[in-house]
Amino acid sequence: MQVTPMVWFITIAVTILFFIYEFFAHVRKPHEPSIAESARWSAFYIGLALLFGVGIGTVSGWTFGGEYFAGYLTEKALSIDNLFVFLIVMAGFAVPKKYQQKVLMIGIIIALILRGGFIAIGAALIENFSWVFYIFGALLLVLAYRQAFSSHEANPANGKFMTLVRRVLPVTDEYHQDKLTVRQGGKRFVTPMLLTIVAIGFVDLIFAVDSIPAIYGLTNEAYIVFTANAFALMGLRQLFFLIGGLLERLVYLAQGLAVILGFIGVKLVFHALHVNELPFVNGGEPLLWVPEIPIWFSLLFIAATIVVATVASLLKTRGDEDDRGLVHGEPVVTADPHDRDENSGVDEKTMSTADTFR
Protein backbone atom coordinates (compact mmCIF):
# COMPACT_ATOMS: atom_id res chain seq x y z
CA MET A 1 0.00 0.00 0.00
CA GLN A 2 1.55 3.24 -1.17
CA VAL A 3 0.83 6.22 1.11
CA THR A 4 2.60 9.46 0.20
CA PRO A 5 3.63 12.09 2.78
CA MET A 6 0.93 14.35 1.33
CA VAL A 7 -1.76 11.75 2.07
CA TRP A 8 -0.44 11.44 5.61
CA PHE A 9 -0.46 15.23 6.01
CA ILE A 10 -4.03 15.56 4.72
CA THR A 11 -5.27 12.69 6.91
CA ILE A 12 -3.73 14.11 10.09
CA ALA A 13 -4.89 17.64 9.24
CA VAL A 14 -8.48 16.52 8.64
CA THR A 15 -8.44 14.52 11.89
CA ILE A 16 -7.27 17.60 13.82
CA LEU A 17 -9.95 19.75 12.15
CA PHE A 18 -12.65 17.26 13.17
CA PHE A 19 -11.61 17.48 16.80
CA ILE A 20 -11.41 21.29 16.65
CA TYR A 21 -14.93 21.37 15.23
CA GLU A 22 -16.11 18.94 17.93
CA PHE A 23 -14.74 21.21 20.64
CA PHE A 24 -16.25 24.48 19.42
CA ALA A 25 -19.56 22.98 18.24
CA HIS A 26 -20.34 20.62 21.12
CA VAL A 27 -17.90 20.78 24.02
CA ARG A 28 -17.03 24.45 24.54
CA LYS A 29 -20.44 25.21 26.08
CA PRO A 30 -20.97 22.76 28.97
CA HIS A 31 -24.15 20.68 28.59
CA GLU A 32 -25.35 17.12 28.80
CA PRO A 33 -25.99 15.79 25.27
CA SER A 34 -29.45 14.46 24.54
CA ILE A 35 -29.99 10.91 23.33
CA ALA A 36 -31.03 12.25 19.90
CA GLU A 37 -27.89 14.38 19.57
CA SER A 38 -25.64 11.50 20.64
CA ALA A 39 -27.39 9.08 18.26
CA ARG A 40 -27.07 11.42 15.27
CA TRP A 41 -23.36 12.05 15.73
CA SER A 42 -22.58 8.43 16.59
CA ALA A 43 -24.29 7.34 13.36
CA PHE A 44 -22.42 10.04 11.43
CA TYR A 45 -18.97 8.95 12.64
CA ILE A 46 -19.69 5.25 12.18
CA GLY A 47 -20.99 5.93 8.67
CA LEU A 48 -17.91 8.04 7.91
CA ALA A 49 -15.63 5.25 9.13
CA LEU A 50 -17.40 2.69 6.94
CA LEU A 51 -17.27 5.02 3.93
CA PHE A 52 -13.54 5.51 4.46
CA GLY A 53 -13.06 1.73 4.50
CA VAL A 54 -14.91 1.44 1.21
CA GLY A 55 -12.59 4.13 -0.17
CA ILE A 56 -9.50 2.18 0.91
CA GLY A 57 -10.88 -0.98 -0.66
CA THR A 58 -11.72 0.80 -3.92
CA VAL A 59 -8.41 2.64 -4.25
CA SER A 60 -5.89 0.20 -2.75
CA GLY A 61 -7.62 -3.16 -3.09
CA TRP A 62 -9.96 -5.12 -0.85
CA THR A 63 -7.16 -6.92 0.96
CA PHE A 64 -6.27 -3.60 2.53
CA GLY A 65 -9.94 -2.73 2.81
CA GLY A 66 -10.55 -5.93 4.75
CA GLU A 67 -7.59 -5.18 7.02
CA TYR A 68 -9.05 -1.74 7.75
CA PHE A 69 -12.50 -3.08 8.60
CA ALA A 70 -11.07 -5.82 10.82
CA GLY A 71 -8.87 -3.27 12.57
CA TYR A 72 -11.72 -0.78 12.95
CA LEU A 73 -14.04 -3.39 14.46
CA THR A 74 -11.35 -4.50 16.90
CA GLU A 75 -10.42 -0.96 17.94
CA LYS A 76 -14.08 0.06 18.28
CA ALA A 77 -14.79 -2.92 20.52
CA LEU A 78 -11.72 -2.15 22.65
CA SER A 79 -12.78 1.52 22.81
CA ILE A 80 -16.22 0.53 24.08
CA ASP A 81 -14.48 -1.53 26.73
CA ASN A 82 -12.62 1.66 27.70
CA LEU A 83 -15.97 3.28 28.39
CA PHE A 84 -16.48 0.93 31.35
CA VAL A 85 -13.40 2.39 33.00
CA PHE A 86 -14.38 5.94 32.00
CA LEU A 87 -17.70 5.43 33.81
CA ILE A 88 -15.84 4.32 36.93
CA VAL A 89 -13.50 7.32 36.74
CA MET A 90 -16.41 9.73 36.24
CA ALA A 91 -18.25 8.26 39.23
CA GLY A 92 -15.11 8.14 41.35
CA PHE A 93 -14.53 11.86 40.87
CA ALA A 94 -18.28 12.67 40.83
CA VAL A 95 -17.95 14.68 37.61
CA PRO A 96 -21.15 16.65 36.90
CA LYS A 97 -22.70 15.38 33.68
CA LYS A 98 -22.58 18.73 31.92
CA TYR A 99 -18.77 18.72 32.28
CA GLN A 100 -18.22 15.10 31.29
CA GLN A 101 -18.02 15.99 27.58
CA LYS A 102 -14.94 18.13 28.13
CA VAL A 103 -13.23 15.39 30.15
CA LEU A 104 -13.96 12.81 27.47
CA MET A 105 -12.88 15.11 24.65
CA ILE A 106 -9.51 15.84 26.21
CA GLY A 107 -9.10 12.18 27.16
CA ILE A 108 -9.79 11.04 23.60
CA ILE A 109 -7.26 13.55 22.19
CA ILE A 110 -4.67 12.27 24.67
CA ALA A 111 -5.49 8.71 23.60
CA LEU A 112 -5.00 9.52 19.91
CA ILE A 113 -1.66 11.24 20.58
CA LEU A 114 -0.42 8.33 22.70
CA ARG A 115 -1.56 5.77 20.16
CA GLY A 116 0.11 7.78 17.39
CA GLY A 117 3.40 7.40 19.23
CA PHE A 118 2.84 3.67 19.77
CA ILE A 119 1.94 3.26 16.09
CA ALA A 120 5.18 4.91 14.97
CA ILE A 121 7.24 2.76 17.35
CA GLY A 122 5.40 -0.39 16.27
CA ALA A 123 5.92 0.36 12.57
CA ALA A 124 9.65 0.88 13.10
CA LEU A 125 10.00 -2.34 15.07
CA ILE A 126 8.06 -4.43 12.54
CA GLU A 127 10.05 -3.04 9.62
CA ASN A 128 13.41 -3.82 11.21
CA PHE A 129 12.77 -6.80 13.51
CA SER A 130 10.48 -9.59 12.38
CA TRP A 131 10.83 -11.28 15.78
CA VAL A 132 8.70 -8.51 17.31
CA PHE A 133 5.68 -10.50 16.12
CA TYR A 134 6.55 -13.14 18.73
CA ILE A 135 6.51 -10.46 21.44
CA PHE A 136 3.24 -8.92 20.24
CA GLY A 137 1.64 -12.35 19.99
CA ALA A 138 2.74 -13.42 23.47
CA LEU A 139 1.65 -10.06 24.90
CA LEU A 140 -1.83 -10.39 23.41
CA LEU A 141 -2.23 -13.94 24.74
CA VAL A 142 -1.37 -12.71 28.24
CA LEU A 143 -3.71 -9.73 27.88
CA ALA A 144 -6.46 -12.03 26.57
CA TYR A 145 -6.19 -14.12 29.74
CA ARG A 146 -6.34 -11.02 31.94
CA GLN A 147 -9.22 -9.59 29.92
CA ALA A 148 -11.25 -12.78 30.32
CA PHE A 149 -11.19 -12.46 34.09
CA SER A 150 -11.31 -8.68 34.44
CA SER A 151 -14.16 -7.26 36.50
CA HIS A 152 -13.66 -3.49 35.94
CA GLU A 153 -14.09 -3.04 39.69
CA ALA A 154 -10.74 -1.35 40.37
CA ASN A 155 -11.13 2.41 40.48
CA PRO A 156 -8.30 4.35 38.79
CA ALA A 157 -9.34 7.38 40.82
CA ASN A 158 -8.01 5.67 43.92
CA GLY A 159 -4.98 3.97 42.38
CA LYS A 160 -1.33 4.45 43.26
CA PHE A 161 -0.74 6.77 40.30
CA MET A 162 -3.51 9.18 41.34
CA THR A 163 -2.38 9.01 44.97
CA LEU A 164 1.06 10.18 43.80
CA VAL A 165 -0.51 12.98 41.74
CA ARG A 166 -2.44 14.21 44.78
CA ARG A 167 0.75 14.29 46.83
CA VAL A 168 2.49 16.43 44.22
CA LEU A 169 -0.39 18.77 43.31
CA PRO A 170 -2.56 20.79 45.71
CA VAL A 171 -6.20 19.90 44.95
CA THR A 172 -9.43 21.72 45.78
CA ASP A 173 -12.31 19.82 47.39
CA GLU A 174 -14.93 20.97 44.91
CA TYR A 175 -15.39 21.70 41.22
CA HIS A 176 -15.12 25.27 39.93
CA GLN A 177 -17.27 24.96 36.83
CA ASP A 178 -15.07 23.31 34.17
CA LYS A 179 -11.86 25.07 35.21
CA LEU A 180 -8.71 22.97 35.52
CA THR A 181 -6.97 25.28 38.01
CA VAL A 182 -8.13 27.98 40.39
CA ARG A 183 -6.40 30.54 42.62
CA GLN A 184 -7.38 30.50 46.30
CA GLY A 185 -5.74 32.56 49.03
CA GLY A 186 -3.00 33.64 46.67
CA LYS A 187 -2.10 30.03 45.85
CA ARG A 188 -2.79 28.08 42.65
CA PHE A 189 -4.78 24.84 43.11
CA VAL A 190 -5.80 22.19 40.60
CA THR A 191 -9.43 21.10 40.56
CA PRO A 192 -10.89 17.56 40.51
CA MET A 193 -11.58 18.27 36.82
CA LEU A 194 -7.85 18.20 36.07
CA LEU A 195 -7.37 15.06 38.17
CA THR A 196 -10.12 13.32 36.20
CA ILE A 197 -8.43 14.21 32.91
CA VAL A 198 -5.08 12.95 34.20
CA ALA A 199 -6.73 9.69 35.33
CA ILE A 200 -8.37 9.13 31.94
CA GLY A 201 -5.11 9.94 30.15
CA PHE A 202 -3.34 7.34 32.30
CA VAL A 203 -6.06 4.80 31.50
CA ASP A 204 -5.66 5.57 27.78
CA LEU A 205 -1.94 4.84 28.05
CA ILE A 206 -2.62 1.45 29.62
CA PHE A 207 -5.24 0.52 27.02
CA ALA A 208 -2.88 1.44 24.17
CA VAL A 209 -0.69 -1.49 25.25
CA ASP A 210 -3.25 -4.01 23.99
CA SER A 211 -4.83 -1.82 21.31
CA ILE A 212 -1.78 -1.28 19.09
CA PRO A 213 -0.36 -4.85 19.10
CA ALA A 214 -3.90 -6.11 18.39
CA ILE A 215 -4.33 -4.12 15.20
CA TYR A 216 -0.75 -4.82 14.07
CA GLY A 217 -1.82 -8.45 14.22
CA LEU A 218 -4.29 -7.65 11.44
CA THR A 219 -2.23 -5.33 9.22
CA ASN A 220 1.35 -4.14 8.82
CA GLU A 221 0.24 -0.84 7.27
CA ALA A 222 0.81 2.03 9.69
CA TYR A 223 -1.69 4.18 7.75
CA ILE A 224 -4.46 1.63 8.29
CA VAL A 225 -3.49 1.30 11.95
CA PHE A 226 -3.71 5.08 12.45
CA THR A 227 -6.95 5.67 10.57
CA ALA A 228 -8.69 2.68 12.20
CA ASN A 229 -7.71 4.05 15.62
CA ALA A 230 -8.74 7.59 14.71
CA PHE A 231 -12.17 6.54 13.48
CA ALA A 232 -12.67 4.24 16.48
CA LEU A 233 -12.02 7.20 18.80
CA MET A 234 -14.13 9.65 16.79
CA GLY A 235 -17.67 9.53 18.10
CA LEU A 236 -16.60 7.75 21.28
CA ARG A 237 -17.71 10.77 23.29
CA GLN A 238 -21.22 10.61 21.84
CA LEU A 239 -21.29 6.85 22.26
CA PHE A 240 -20.52 7.30 25.96
CA PHE A 241 -23.78 9.21 26.46
CA LEU A 242 -25.76 7.08 24.01
CA ILE A 243 -25.06 3.66 25.51
CA GLY A 244 -24.03 4.62 29.04
CA GLY A 245 -26.89 2.60 30.53
CA LEU A 246 -26.40 -0.24 28.08
CA LEU A 247 -22.77 -0.70 29.12
CA GLU A 248 -23.88 -2.31 32.37
CA ARG A 249 -25.71 -4.96 30.34
CA LEU A 250 -22.68 -5.95 28.23
CA VAL A 251 -21.59 -8.47 30.85
CA TYR A 252 -19.82 -10.73 28.34
CA LEU A 253 -17.97 -8.01 26.44
CA ALA A 254 -14.75 -8.64 28.37
CA GLN A 255 -14.88 -12.34 27.49
CA GLY A 256 -15.64 -11.53 23.85
CA LEU A 257 -12.65 -9.19 23.70
CA ALA A 258 -10.51 -11.87 25.35
CA VAL A 259 -11.44 -14.26 22.53
CA ILE A 260 -10.58 -11.61 19.92
CA LEU A 261 -7.23 -10.74 21.54
CA GLY A 262 -6.40 -14.44 21.91
CA PHE A 263 -7.26 -15.08 18.26
CA ILE A 264 -5.09 -12.17 17.08
CA GLY A 265 -2.30 -13.36 19.41
CA VAL A 266 -2.34 -16.79 17.77
CA LYS A 267 -2.46 -15.14 14.34
CA LEU A 268 0.62 -13.10 15.22
CA VAL A 269 2.53 -16.16 16.44
CA PHE A 270 1.65 -18.02 13.25
CA HIS A 271 2.86 -15.05 11.19
CA ALA A 272 6.07 -14.85 13.25
CA LEU A 273 6.76 -18.52 12.55
CA HIS A 274 5.98 -18.03 8.88
CA VAL A 275 8.59 -15.23 8.57
CA ASN A 276 10.91 -16.58 11.25
CA GLU A 277 14.49 -15.30 11.40
CA LEU A 278 15.41 -16.35 14.94
CA PRO A 279 18.44 -18.67 14.77
CA PHE A 280 17.22 -20.94 17.59
CA VAL A 281 13.88 -21.58 15.84
CA ASN A 282 14.17 -23.98 12.89
CA GLY A 283 17.75 -22.85 12.31
CA GLY A 284 16.62 -19.32 11.47
CA GLU A 285 14.54 -20.51 8.51
CA PRO A 286 10.82 -19.66 8.05
CA LEU A 287 8.32 -22.41 8.86
CA LEU A 288 6.38 -22.19 5.63
CA TRP A 289 4.05 -25.04 6.60
CA VAL A 290 2.55 -22.86 9.34
CA PRO A 291 -0.75 -21.46 8.01
CA GLU A 292 -1.32 -17.74 7.55
CA ILE A 293 -4.83 -16.81 8.68
CA PRO A 294 -6.45 -14.81 5.83
CA ILE A 295 -7.88 -11.38 6.55
CA TRP A 296 -11.40 -12.34 5.42
CA PHE A 297 -11.49 -15.05 8.09
CA SER A 298 -10.18 -12.60 10.70
CA LEU A 299 -12.88 -10.07 9.78
CA LEU A 300 -15.67 -12.66 10.00
CA PHE A 301 -14.31 -14.09 13.27
CA ILE A 302 -14.05 -10.68 14.95
CA ALA A 303 -17.50 -9.56 13.77
CA ALA A 304 -19.11 -12.86 14.83
CA THR A 305 -17.45 -12.73 18.26
CA ILE A 306 -18.71 -9.19 18.89
CA VAL A 307 -22.24 -10.14 17.84
CA VAL A 308 -22.29 -13.30 19.98
CA ALA A 309 -20.91 -11.48 23.05
CA THR A 310 -23.45 -8.66 22.67
CA VAL A 311 -26.48 -10.92 22.12
CA ALA A 312 -25.46 -13.27 24.94
CA SER A 313 -24.99 -10.29 27.28
CA LEU A 314 -28.41 -8.82 26.49
CA LEU A 315 -30.12 -12.18 26.91
CA LYS A 316 -28.32 -12.81 30.20
CA THR A 317 -29.16 -9.42 31.70
CA ARG A 318 -32.73 -9.59 30.42
CA GLY A 319 -33.14 -12.94 32.13
CA ASP A 320 -31.67 -11.52 35.35
CA GLU A 321 -34.08 -8.58 35.20
CA ASP A 322 -37.01 -10.94 34.70
CA ASP A 323 -35.89 -12.97 37.73
CA ARG A 324 -35.66 -9.81 39.84
CA GLY A 325 -38.96 -8.47 38.55
CA LEU A 326 -40.98 -10.45 41.09
CA VAL A 327 -40.03 -11.42 44.60
CA HIS A 328 -42.46 -13.99 46.02
CA GLY A 329 -44.98 -12.85 43.43
CA GLU A 330 -44.72 -9.16 44.37
CA PRO A 331 -43.16 -6.42 42.23
CA VAL A 332 -39.78 -5.13 43.35
CA VAL A 333 -40.00 -1.51 44.49
CA THR A 334 -37.42 0.61 42.68
CA ALA A 335 -35.56 3.50 44.24
CA ASP A 336 -37.01 6.98 44.15
CA PRO A 337 -35.35 8.84 41.25
CA HIS A 338 -35.21 11.95 43.46
CA ASP A 339 -32.62 10.15 45.59
CA ARG A 340 -30.10 10.70 42.81
CA ASP A 341 -27.96 13.79 42.58
CA GLU A 342 -29.33 15.91 39.73
CA ASN A 343 -25.99 17.37 38.71
CA SER A 344 -23.64 14.44 38.72
CA GLY A 345 -25.94 11.59 37.75
CA VAL A 346 -24.41 9.33 40.41
CA ASP A 347 -26.17 8.19 43.55
CA GLU A 348 -25.40 9.20 47.12
CA LYS A 349 -23.39 6.05 47.80
CA THR A 350 -21.12 6.82 44.86
CA MET A 351 -20.83 10.44 45.99
CA SER A 352 -19.72 9.40 49.46
CA THR A 353 -17.25 6.96 47.91
CA ALA A 354 -15.91 9.73 45.67
CA ASP A 355 -15.31 11.92 48.71
CA THR A 356 -12.90 9.32 50.08
CA PHE A 357 -10.87 9.56 46.85
CA ARG A 358 -10.07 13.23 47.35
Side-chain angles (χ1 to χ4, degrees):
M1 184 178 184
Q2 297 296 325
V3 182
T4 64
M6 180 57 69
V7 172
W8 269 107
F9 175 79
I10 294 173
T11 302
I12 294 173
V14 171
T15 302
I16 293 173
L17 288 175
F18 264 112
F19 281 110
I20 292 175
Y21 170 79
E22 279 269 289
F23 178 79
F24 285 100
H26 302 292
V27 179
R28 189 179 184 183
K29 182 180 179 181
H31 73 284
E32 180 184 349
S34 65
I35 295 296
E37 176 187 344
S38 300
R40 284 196 304 271
W41 283 102
S42 293
F44 170 76
Y45 281 117
I46 291 173
L48 192 64
L50 297 178
L51 185 63
F52 185 82
V54 172
I56 286 183
T58 302
V59 174
S60 301
W62 285 104
T63 296
F64 294 119
E67 291 177 358
Y68 167 82
F69 282 117
Y72 173 73
L73 277 177
T74 301
E75 295 300 319
K76 198 67 174 178
L78 288 170
S79 296
I80 292 174
D81 190 50
N82 291 13
L83 294 182
F84 279 105
V85 184
F86 290 171
L87 278 173
I88 295 173
V89 172
M90 295 288 190
F93 286 103
V95 182
K97 279 197 171 182
K98 63 180 180 179
Y99 301 141
Q100 289 181 2
Q101 285 205 97
K102 184 173 183 178
V103 174
L104 288 170
M105 182 72 177
I106 297 175
I108 289 169
I109 292 173
I110 292 173
L112 189 58
I113 293 172
L114 291 174
R115 293 187 188 191
F118 275 88
I119 290 167
I121 294 171
L125 289 174
I126 288 173
E127 185 174 351
N128 294 282
F129 308 104
S130 63
W131 49 262
V132 77
F133 288 112
Y134 286 110
I135 297 176
F136 282 179
L139 176 62
L140 286 180
L141 291 174
V142 172
L143 292 172
Y145 176 81
R146 294 181 59 183
Q147 180 74 32
F149 300 101
S150 65
S151 61
H152 294 291
E153 293 178 354
N155 194 329
N158 200 32
K160 294 180 179 179
F161 177 74
M162 292 310 301
T163 301
L164 176 62
V165 172
R166 289 188 185 90
R167 289 177 181 175
V168 175
L169 299 175
V171 186
T172 62
D173 292 329
E174 65 284 328
Y175 285 87
H176 294 263
Q177 299 179 344
D178 60 345
K179 295 179 180 178
L180 303 183
T181 65
V182 65
R183 182 173 291 276
Q184 292 182 341
K187 184 179 180 180
R188 179 67 63 178
F189 287 82
V190 302
T191 67
M193 189 78 168
L194 179 59
L195 287 189
T196 308
I197 292 172
V198 172
I200 286 184
F202 181 67
V203 168
D204 287 330
L205 177 62
I206 294 174
F207 274 102
V209 174
D210 60 1
S211 173
I212 302 306
I215 193 170
Y216 268 123
L218 299 168
T219 179
N220 293 340
E221 298 292 335
Y223 184 77
I224 292 178
V225 175
F226 175 79
T227 52
N229 270 276
F231 278 113
L233 291 173
M234 285 182 183
L236 190 61
R237 176 179 59 81
Q238 292 88 344
L239 201 60
F240 176 86
F241 294 98
L242 180 63
I243 67 171
L246 181 62
L247 283 174
E248 297 179 358
R249 298 190 60 185
L250 299 179
V251 293
Y252 293 132
L253 178 62
Q255 286 72 25
L257 289 174
V259 172
I260 293 173
L261 291 177
F263 168 78
I264 298 176
V266 171
K267 185 177 186 296
L268 274 170
V269 172
F270 280 6
H271 180 71
L273 292 170
H274 200 265
V275 298
N276 175 65
E277 294 179 349
L278 294 179
F280 53 85
V281 177
N282 195 40
E285 295 296 325
L287 283 77
L288 299 179
W289 56 268
V290 175
E292 286 270 32
I293 300 176
I295 193 61
W296 65 264
F297 182 84
S298 299
L299 179 58
L300 290 177
F301 183 90
I302 292 167
T305 302
I306 293 173
V307 170
V308 170
T310 302
V311 173
S313 296
L314 297 179
L315 291 175
K316 173 68 165 57
T317 52
R318 181 178 179 181
D320 291 344
E321 289 175 356
D322 291 342
D323 291 341
R324 292 193 299 267
L326 291 175
V327 178
H328 301 298
E330 298 181 0
V332 174
V333 178
T334 56
D336 187 341
H338 296 293
D339 290 339
R340 296 175 63 85
D341 183 270
E342 294 181 357
N343 290 327
S344 67
V346 294
D347 56 30
E348 293 178 357
K349 180 180 179 182
T350 303
M351 288 288 289
S352 62
T353 303
D355 290 338
T356 66
F357 294 153
R358 296 176 183 159

PDB file of all heavy atoms in Angstrom, residues 118-128 216 220 222:
ATOM      1  N   PHE A 118       2.713   5.131  19.774  1.00  0.00           N
ATOM      2  CA  PHE A 118       2.842   3.674  19.772  1.00  0.00           C
ATOM      3  C   PHE A 118       2.831   3.122  18.348  1.00  0.00           C
ATOM      4  O   PHE A 118       3.541   2.163  18.041  1.00  0.00           O
ATOM      5  CB  PHE A 118       1.704   3.041  20.573  1.00  0.00           C
ATOM      6  CG  PHE A 118       1.976   2.955  22.048  1.00  0.00           C
ATOM      7  CD1 PHE A 118       1.656   3.996  22.887  1.00  0.00           C
ATOM      8  CD2 PHE A 118       2.556   1.820  22.600  1.00  0.00           C
ATOM      9  CE1 PHE A 118       1.912   3.926  24.239  1.00  0.00           C
ATOM     10  CE2 PHE A 118       2.812   1.737  23.949  1.00  0.00           C
ATOM     11  CZ  PHE A 118       2.491   2.794  24.782  1.00  0.00           C
ATOM     12  N   ILE A 119       2.011   3.714  17.479  1.00  0.00           N
ATOM     13  CA  ILE A 119       1.937   3.258  16.088  1.00  0.00           C
ATOM     14  C   ILE A 119       3.276   3.458  15.396  1.00  0.00           C
ATOM     15  O   ILE A 119       3.761   2.578  14.666  1.00  0.00           O
ATOM     16  CB  ILE A 119       0.817   4.010  15.340  1.00  0.00           C
ATOM     17  CG1 ILE A 119      -0.555   3.551  15.856  1.00  0.00           C
ATOM     18  CG2 ILE A 119       0.913   3.772  13.828  1.00  0.00           C
ATOM     19  CD1 ILE A 119      -1.695   4.446  15.402  1.00  0.00           C
ATOM     20  N   ALA A 120       3.882   4.624  15.591  1.00  0.00           N
ATOM     21  CA  ALA A 120       5.179   4.912  14.969  1.00  0.00           C
ATOM     22  C   ALA A 120       6.247   3.947  15.474  1.00  0.00           C
ATOM     23  O   ALA A 120       7.054   3.421  14.689  1.00  0.00           O
ATOM     24  CB  ALA A 120       5.582   6.353  15.263  1.00  0.00           C
ATOM     25  N   ILE A 121       6.258   3.691  16.778  1.00  0.00           N
ATOM     26  CA  ILE A 121       7.237   2.758  17.346  1.00  0.00           C
ATOM     27  C   ILE A 121       7.002   1.351  16.810  1.00  0.00           C
ATOM     28  O   ILE A 121       7.949   0.652  16.418  1.00  0.00           O
ATOM     29  CB  ILE A 121       7.148   2.760  18.892  1.00  0.00           C
ATOM     30  CG1 ILE A 121       7.587   4.128  19.440  1.00  0.00           C
ATOM     31  CG2 ILE A 121       8.010   1.649  19.476  1.00  0.00           C
ATOM     32  CD1 ILE A 121       7.334   4.300  20.916  1.00  0.00           C
ATOM     33  N   GLY A 122       5.724   0.940  16.775  1.00  0.00           N
ATOM     34  CA  GLY A 122       5.402  -0.394  16.271  1.00  0.00           C
ATOM     35  C   GLY A 122       5.801  -0.582  14.822  1.00  0.00           C
ATOM     36  O   GLY A 122       6.329  -1.627  14.438  1.00  0.00           O
ATOM     37  N   ALA A 123       5.562   0.447  13.991  1.00  0.00           N
ATOM     38  CA  ALA A 123       5.917   0.364  12.575  1.00  0.00           C
ATOM     39  C   ALA A 123       7.421   0.210  12.399  1.00  0.00           C
ATOM     40  O   ALA A 123       7.894  -0.582  11.567  1.00  0.00           O
ATOM     41  CB  ALA A 123       5.413   1.611  11.841  1.00  0.00           C
ATOM     42  N   ALA A 124       8.191   0.974  13.191  1.00  0.00           N
ATOM     43  CA  ALA A 124       9.655   0.885  13.097  1.00  0.00           C
ATOM     44  C   ALA A 124      10.152  -0.491  13.539  1.00  0.00           C
ATOM     45  O   ALA A 124      11.055  -1.063  12.912  1.00  0.00           O
ATOM     46  CB  ALA A 124      10.289   1.981  13.958  1.00  0.00           C
ATOM     47  N   LEU A 125       9.576  -1.031  14.593  1.00  0.00           N
ATOM     48  CA  LEU A 125       9.999  -2.344  15.075  1.00  0.00           C
ATOM     49  C   LEU A 125       9.685  -3.438  14.056  1.00  0.00           C
ATOM     50  O   LEU A 125      10.526  -4.306  13.774  1.00  0.00           O
ATOM     51  CB  LEU A 125       9.302  -2.656  16.407  1.00  0.00           C
ATOM     52  CG  LEU A 125       9.771  -1.854  17.629  1.00  0.00           C
ATOM     53  CD1 LEU A 125       8.884  -2.169  18.831  1.00  0.00           C
ATOM     54  CD2 LEU A 125      11.224  -2.177  17.949  1.00  0.00           C
ATOM     55  N   ILE A 126       8.465  -3.389  13.500  1.00  0.00           N
ATOM     56  CA  ILE A 126       8.057  -4.425  12.544  1.00  0.00           C
ATOM     57  C   ILE A 126       8.913  -4.379  11.285  1.00  0.00           C
ATOM     58  O   ILE A 126       9.270  -5.416  10.716  1.00  0.00           O
ATOM     59  CB  ILE A 126       6.559  -4.254  12.205  1.00  0.00           C
ATOM     60  CG1 ILE A 126       5.712  -4.678  13.410  1.00  0.00           C
ATOM     61  CG2 ILE A 126       6.183  -5.050  10.967  1.00  0.00           C
ATOM     62  CD1 ILE A 126       4.246  -4.390  13.253  1.00  0.00           C
ATOM     63  N   GLU A 127       9.260  -3.178  10.855  1.00  0.00           N
ATOM     64  CA  GLU A 127      10.049  -3.039   9.622  1.00  0.00           C
ATOM     65  C   GLU A 127      11.470  -3.560   9.790  1.00  0.00           C
ATOM     66  O   GLU A 127      12.074  -4.062   8.841  1.00  0.00           O
ATOM     67  CB  GLU A 127      10.077  -1.573   9.189  1.00  0.00           C
ATOM     68  CG  GLU A 127      10.763  -1.349   7.853  1.00  0.00           C
ATOM     69  CD  GLU A 127      10.648   0.086   7.386  1.00  0.00           C
ATOM     70  OE1 GLU A 127       9.894   0.859   8.003  1.00  0.00           O
ATOM     71  OE2 GLU A 127      11.311   0.430   6.384  1.00  0.00           O
ATOM     72  N   ASN A 128      12.003  -3.469  10.998  1.00  0.00           N
ATOM     73  CA  ASN A 128      13.407  -3.823  11.211  1.00  0.00           C
ATOM     74  C   ASN A 128      13.617  -5.146  11.953  1.00  0.00           C
ATOM     75  O   ASN A 128      14.686  -5.737  11.848  1.00  0.00           O
ATOM     76  CB  ASN A 128      14.111  -2.705  11.992  1.00  0.00           C
ATOM     77  CG  ASN A 128      14.192  -1.406  11.206  1.00  0.00           C
ATOM     78  OD1 ASN A 128      15.027  -1.265  10.313  1.00  0.00           O
ATOM     79  ND2 ASN A 128      13.330  -0.451  11.522  1.00  0.00           N
ATOM     80  N   TYR A 216      -1.907  -4.404  14.873  1.00  0.00           N
ATOM     81  CA  TYR A 216      -0.751  -4.820  14.072  1.00  0.00           C
ATOM     82  C   TYR A 216      -0.784  -6.320  13.796  1.00  0.00           C
ATOM     83  O   TYR A 216      -0.054  -6.811  12.935  1.00  0.00           O
ATOM     84  CB  TYR A 216       0.556  -4.423  14.766  1.00  0.00           C
ATOM     85  CG  TYR A 216       1.077  -3.078  14.334  1.00  0.00           C
ATOM     86  CD1 TYR A 216       1.312  -2.062  15.257  1.00  0.00           C
ATOM     87  CD2 TYR A 216       1.341  -2.810  12.991  1.00  0.00           C
ATOM     88  CE1 TYR A 216       1.785  -0.822  14.853  1.00  0.00           C
ATOM     89  CE2 TYR A 216       1.808  -1.576  12.594  1.00  0.00           C
ATOM     90  CZ  TYR A 216       2.031  -0.582  13.517  1.00  0.00           C
ATOM     91  OH  TYR A 216       2.497   0.645  13.103  1.00  0.00           O
ATOM     92  N   ASN A 220       0.025  -4.733   8.617  1.00  0.00           N
ATOM     93  CA  ASN A 220       1.354  -4.136   8.822  1.00  0.00           C
ATOM     94  C   ASN A 220       1.401  -2.683   8.358  1.00  0.00           C
ATOM     95  O   ASN A 220       2.450  -2.036   8.470  1.00  0.00           O
ATOM     96  CB  ASN A 220       2.416  -4.934   8.062  1.00  0.00           C
ATOM     97  CG  ASN A 220       2.598  -6.329   8.623  1.00  0.00           C
ATOM     98  OD1 ASN A 220       2.239  -6.597   9.769  1.00  0.00           O
ATOM     99  ND2 ASN A 220       3.164  -7.223   7.819  1.00  0.00           N
ATOM    100  N   ALA A 222       0.962   1.027   8.629  1.00  0.00           N
ATOM    101  CA  ALA A 222       0.811   2.034   9.686  1.00  0.00           C
ATOM    102  C   ALA A 222      -0.346   2.986   9.387  1.00  0.00           C
ATOM    103  O   ALA A 222      -1.024   3.457  10.309  1.00  0.00           O
ATOM    104  CB  ALA A 222       2.107   2.826   9.845  1.00  0.00           C
TER     105      ALA A 222
END
